[in-house]
Amino acid sequence: MIPLFAFMEPPPLALGLVLLYLGAGAGSALALARRHQPAATAASALVAWPILLPLLWDSPRRPGARGPLAGRIEQVLDALDTTLRDPAAGDLAGDEDLVGLRASLLQADERLALVDKLLAEDASDPWIARDLDALRTARDHAMAEVEAVLSGVVQLRIQVGLLALAGNAAPVRDRLRELRGRIGALEEVSRLNAR
Amino acid sequence: MTAPALDFADHPHEAADRPAERAPADASETPSLPAAAEIAAAFAGFAVLGLCAGLGSGDVGTSVRAVPSGLLVGMGALVLTGPALVAAHQFLGLRGRPEALITALARGFVLSGKTALGLAPAMLFFSATSGLWAVVFTVLLLGIGGLGFAFTARRLLETEPRGNALVDLRILSLVASWVALCALIAARLAWDVAWFVLG
Amino acid sequence: MHILTLAATVLRDPDALIDLADDREALGRVIPQLLLVAAVGAATFGLVIGSYRGGIQLVYAAVKMPFLLAIPVIVCLPAIRALYAACRVDAPYERLALASTVGMARTGLLAAALAPVVWLLYSVALDYHLAVLLLAGTLALAGLPGLLTVSRALPGRGEGRLLATVASIAILGATTAQTGWLLRPFVARPNGEVAFLRPIEADVASSLAATGAASVGEYQDWEPEAAGLAGRGLRRDRAAEEGR
């Protein structure tokens, strides 16, 4: 007989604590399943529910105002997504790369929407007008950066065909990350300027 | 190409309002006291940490007595040294408002309490699986106290406009003295509280 | 993302994964994969550790090793967040949770990569106490990049961040050590009884002291006793029961 424990019965309190933990895990798994999370995610909640708590707290992100580039962002990224999903393209890039880039671009677009709202305010006070000029310059720079990233995505889509023929996936992922990094740098600069 | 900085500090109308000797900070600039919910969370944090520690003793009485132990030490030290801090601050002719000092102490307490709440699961783990509850509880309280002191000292220093060497020396000496006194009083209270908890 | 691609990303560019923290959908997909990678890596390492004794210990150690990585992370997550918050570093819980999971996966993979070295040393009939110390040292070596992954994931810089990182490493290290003691034995004594788990008794500090002394020939009269809430339970008046 394979000895499982060196003592005859596990301490009741220890067993109780373990059952309590697993019970919380089961509750979390059910809650995740109800939120249409994948089965693997719900199953892993049984043992790792503290790590998955953010999925349960889900305060769904309030959809921000659509900015000036929202439509173009969706159009360009949908086109790239369609191209990458083509079986002939192979496994050139993971979903996460594209999803992350889309999220970053849409966030940048929402910030542009906020800034546009501020710029539309009354600028009769000379001191406010001066600040608005600075804000307008920053906004134009941010917009130029987003448009440059979108141009990069359009070029990348064209290059996918060549890369698929060569069977070399690394440049596509690297390029997507580079584009994400560019948007990330824009966020960092904005954060620094705001201090 | 980097975006131009939005610098709101160089406005002429602000400069005009800024005389050579700036008046003490007015009421509108005093940071507000923490919200009641934050203070309640801090109390709860200390209580939960104490309970998690006490359970490691395996004794119901000790567990119950351990609940307020962290609070007694922390609050006791603050209550005993707070008035002295304010009195010394005024006596030294420093310009910060007394309300700002109280707010700094309160925020330090809230920070310590929230840290205690975050450390409670780790405390419970050691209480449940080892006989080290007293050692771990002491180490965690020392760590929480250290962080609380560091945070509060920084906030106290921020209550005073800096730039004048004599003023800087006075506020630094005051805060250093308060930290030392508070630590000694906390240690003294901790001795009595430890005997109370262990029965 | 393919599981092998994920494993490569965990080793080469873990920061890219941590940036997914803002995307709930990606978070829900990637965390189970990371847990699987951590489990497989740790189980592989556990197999090698169990090979010291052989037999059923191979399975026992392989099953328990993933929990040795996971339990400290789960227990210490709130503590790490509180420590960073106290040091004025904004640490969103989801980012910290994802960074910890990536760190865990990284540790599991690195431990699996170090497994051949451990096996080689075990295969030359290493003394039991040295075998235990080798296990601890290997886990520390594999664990450090994982810990640094978590630290790099958080924004901000300065003394506050350094202090929070050091405190987090300390608390995570202590919890991992105690978890290792709790889930023992991993390196079963060659002539000892094979067991999946042992009673909850003593603590890692006293056991390490006894093991360290024994490894240099100083054998202490050390008898572990039941310890902790889970080991002894809760009594109304334990002091009276114990005749104090």
Side-chain angles (χ1 to χ4, degrees):
Chain A
M1 178 175 142
I2 297 170
L4 282 182
F5 296 101
F7 44 93
M8 287 309 294
E9 46 182 74
L13 202 52
L15 208 56
L17 287 170
V18 170
L19 287 173
L20 195 66
Y21 180 88
L22 290 175
S28 307
L30 276 169
L32 286 170
R34 279 205 198 105
R35 286 166 189 250
H36 309 293
Q37 288 287 343
T41 309
S44 55
L46 277 169
V47 286
W49 58 267
I51 294 173
L52 293 163
L53 281 176
L55 298 178
L56 290 170
W57 292 337
D58 192 0
S59 44
R61 228 175 132 259
R62 283 193 307 277
R66 284 172 70 83
L69 295 172
R72 181 154 153 72
I73 290 169
E74 301 277 8
Q75 180 195 13
V76 166
L77 289 179
D78 284 347
L80 179 62
D81 193 25
T82 305
T83 305
L84 288 173
R85 283 185 192 283
D86 192 315
D91 183 25
L92 286 180
D95 286 345
E96 284 73 18
D97 296 325
L98 202 54
V99 164
L101 180 61
R102 186 189 295 266
S104 300
L105 282 167
L106 287 173
Q107 281 172 16
D109 181 63
E110 282 170 16
R111 285 193 290 271
L112 285 171
L114 171 64
V115 169
D116 285 345
K117 216 187 300 184
L118 290 170
L119 289 172
E121 284 177 6
D122 180 22
S124 52
D125 184 326
W127 307 119
I128 293 178
R130 184 180 141 173
D131 292 338
L132 287 178
D133 280 343
L135 186 60
R136 193 169 290 113
T137 308
R139 182 260 187 207
D140 291 342
H141 163 76
M143 182 119 167
E145 281 294 298
V146 173
E147 282 180 340
V149 169
L150 289 175
S151 297
V153 173
V154 169
Q155 286 167 10
L156 181 62
R157 189 169 156 250
I158 296 166
Q159 287 167 3
V160 163
L162 290 169
L163 292 167
L165 287 172
N168 184 4
V172 174
R173 284 193 215 109
D174 290 345
R175 184 75 177 123
L176 278 172
R177 278 183 207 146
E178 191 191 305
L179 292 170
R180 269 194 83 184
R182 201 165 167 180
I183 288 292
L186 179 64
E187 287 174 23
E188 188 62 32
V189 166
S190 305
R191 212 174 292 135
L192 285 170
N193 288 337
R195 287 205 193 131
Chain B
M1 181 180 139
T2 57
L6 293 174
D7 187 356
F8 294 100
D10 295 334
H11 289 181
H13 70 281
E14 272 198 32
D17 290 339
R18 202 184 305 141
E21 275 286 323
R22 192 168 180 194
D26 62 9
S28 63
E29 291 184 22
T30 305
S32 55
L33 280 169
E38 284 188 284
I39 295 176
F43 272 91
F46 278 114
V48 168
L49 184 69
L51 176 65
C52 291
L55 286 172
S57 65
D59 183 72
V60 172
T62 306
S63 303
V64 169
R65 289 192 297 274
V67 169
S69 55
L71 271 169
L72 287 171
V73 173
M75 283 295 294
L78 282 180
V79 165
L80 289 172
T81 59
L85 172 70
V86 174
H89 182 270
Q90 297 299 294
F91 179 76
L92 289 172
L94 293 164
R95 291 185 292 184
R97 294 180 66 83
E99 292 89 338
L101 299 178
I102 302 299
T103 300
L105 294 180
R107 292 220 169 263
F109 174 74
V110 164
L111 178 114
S112 301
K114 285 181 177 176
T115 307
L117 189 63
L119 290 169
M123 181 71 247
L124 183 61
F125 175 77
F126 279 93
S127 291
T129 62
S130 74
L132 296 173
W133 69 274
V135 172
V136 173
F137 189 38
T138 306
V139 169
L140 290 183
L141 282 179
L142 282 172
I144 290 167
L147 282 171
F149 275 133
F151 176 86
T152 308
R154 193 181 277 250
R155 292 294 284 249
L156 287 171
L157 289 172
E158 287 171 0
T159 62
E160 192 68 25
R162 309 293 286 277
N164 181 316
L166 194 58
V167 167
D168 288 352
L169 183 63
R170 278 186 277 172
I171 187 69
L172 273 169
S173 306
L174 176 67
V175 171
S177 305
W178 172 78
V179 168
L181 178 65
C182 200
L184 286 170
I185 288 180
R188 178 67 186 84
L189 289 173
W191 181 258
D192 285 341
V193 167
W195 282 109
F196 163 68
V197 169
L198 294 172
Chain C
M1 188 185 284
H2 193 274
I3 196 84
L4 291 176
T5 310
L6 181 74
T9 309
V10 163
L11 290 170
R12 291 170 63 93
D13 188 13
D15 297 342
L17 288 171
I18 295 166
D19 286 340
L20 295 174
D22 294 330
D23 184 342
R24 289 288 194 266
E25 217 179 292
L27 197 70
R29 277 202 310 272
V30 93
I31 283 183
Q33 288 181 310
L34 287 169
L35 290 172
L36 181 64
V37 166
V40 169
T44 306
F45 182 65
L47 265 176
V48 168
I49 297 300
S51 70
Y52 184 83
R53 175 70 159 80
I56 193 68
Q57 188 62 20
L58 284 164
V59 176
Y60 287 172
V63 167
K64 290 188 294 185
M65 194 61 73
F67 289 97
L68 178 59
L69 294 191
I71 290 174
V73 166
I74 288 168
V75 166
C76 293
L77 212 48
I80 293 172
R81 183 160 188 260
L83 287 169
Y84 274 100
C87 294
R88 293 185 164 188
V89 177
D90 178 33
Y93 188 88
E94 53 270 19
R95 192 170 177 89
L96 199 54
L98 181 57
S100 303
T101 314
V102 172
M104 202 194 323
R106 211 153 189 239
T107 300
L109 288 170
L110 289 172
L114 288 169
V117 176
V118 175
W119 178 85
L120 183 64
L121 290 168
Y122 277 8
S123 69
V124 296
L126 205 63
D127 170 66
Y128 169 73
H129 301 291
L130 285 176
V132 172
L133 291 173
L134 178 64
L135 163 64
T138 308
L139 280 175
L141 193 63
L144 199 55
L147 285 168
L148 293 175
T149 300
V150 176
S151 170
R152 273 205 317 270
L154 300 172
R157 46 181 67 84
E159 309 108 11
R161 193 157 180 252
L162 179 63
L163 179 63
T165 302
V166 168
S168 300
I169 288 175
I171 205 165
L172 208 48
T175 309
T176 304
Q178 178 61 20
T179 305
W181 173 253
L182 185 68
L183 296 178
R184 74 194 193 286
F186 290 93
V187 185
R189 288 180 185 272
N191 301 318
E193 185 186 84
V194 173
F196 185 64
L197 289 174
R198 294 218 182 276
I200 300 172
E201 57 193 12
D203 56 79
V204 65
S206 52
S207 84
L208 275 176
T211 298
S215 69
V216 294
E218 292 174 13
Y219 293 92
Q220 300 171 347
D221 191 17
W222 182 67
E223 289 293 334
E225 294 176 354
L229 183 66
R232 300 191 299 173
L234 194 64
R235 296 288 184 266
R236 194 170 180 79
D237 192 350
R238 179 170 294 285
E241 282 182 19
E242 290 173 353
R244 259 196 284 145

